Amino acid sequence: MKEIKSVSGINNKGGDSSLKRIGNFIKEARLSKNQSIEELASDLKIGAHQLEAIEEGNEEKLPEKVFIKAMIRRISQKLKLDTEFLMDEFKTESKEVKIEEIVEEVSKKNYKSRQSKNFNPLGFLIFILISGFLGLIASSLIFNLFSDSSQNQTPKQELIKKTK
């Protein structure tokens, strides 16, 4: 687990997330075409603040990742960039997050399984003894009930035989 975290830590070192790399790439392409943020944003019908947030790699100012992905796709098509490369780059960050989430889930499951394995054998033995004792009492009550009913039938049968 530590190895995976350290690898993802290397990928995010210095705040160089994939969104920031994509944003720098988009910014360079926009500047090479001599377009301002406002011009490109109005052409794409997105907010200039959102385009600026993408170029800065600032996820806090952006909506959900699905929408970010759609915006990046539209921007790359408008600027005639390699859309597939940018989408793959964006997916890389999503995979890193998923790996960290998976590591957290696995560690939680391992902790829960360790807790369930630590049962108390003395408590288990006491439980078995109590249930055995209750079973013995229940079976003796049932046995006495049936034996009383069979004893009650014999005198009646004897009376019937005597009257014949």
Side-chain angles (χ1 to χ4, degrees), residues 8 11 13-15 28 51-52 59 61 68 83-84 86 90-91 96 99 103-104 108-109 112 116 123 135 143 163:
S8 63
N11 289 340
K13 195 177 241 185
E28 288 176 18
L51 180 58
E52 189 175 345
E59 265 187 87
K61 294 181 180 179
I68 298 171
T83 306
E84 292 303 314
L86 291 178
F90 188 70
K91 287 178 188 175
E96 289 171 5
I99 288 172
V103 167
E104 289 176 17
K108 286 178 186 176
K109 286 181 182 178
K112 287 180 182 178
S116 65
F143 179 73
T163 56

Side-chain angles (χ1 to χ4, degrees), residues 135-157:
L136 181 66
I137 290 173
S139 64
S140 66
L141 287 174
I142 291 172
F143 179 73
N144 286 337
L145 230 163
F146 283 123
S147 65
D148 286 344
S149 65
S150 66
Q151 288 175 358
N152 289 340
Q153 286 179 358
T154 44
K156 289 178 185 176
Q157 288 174 354

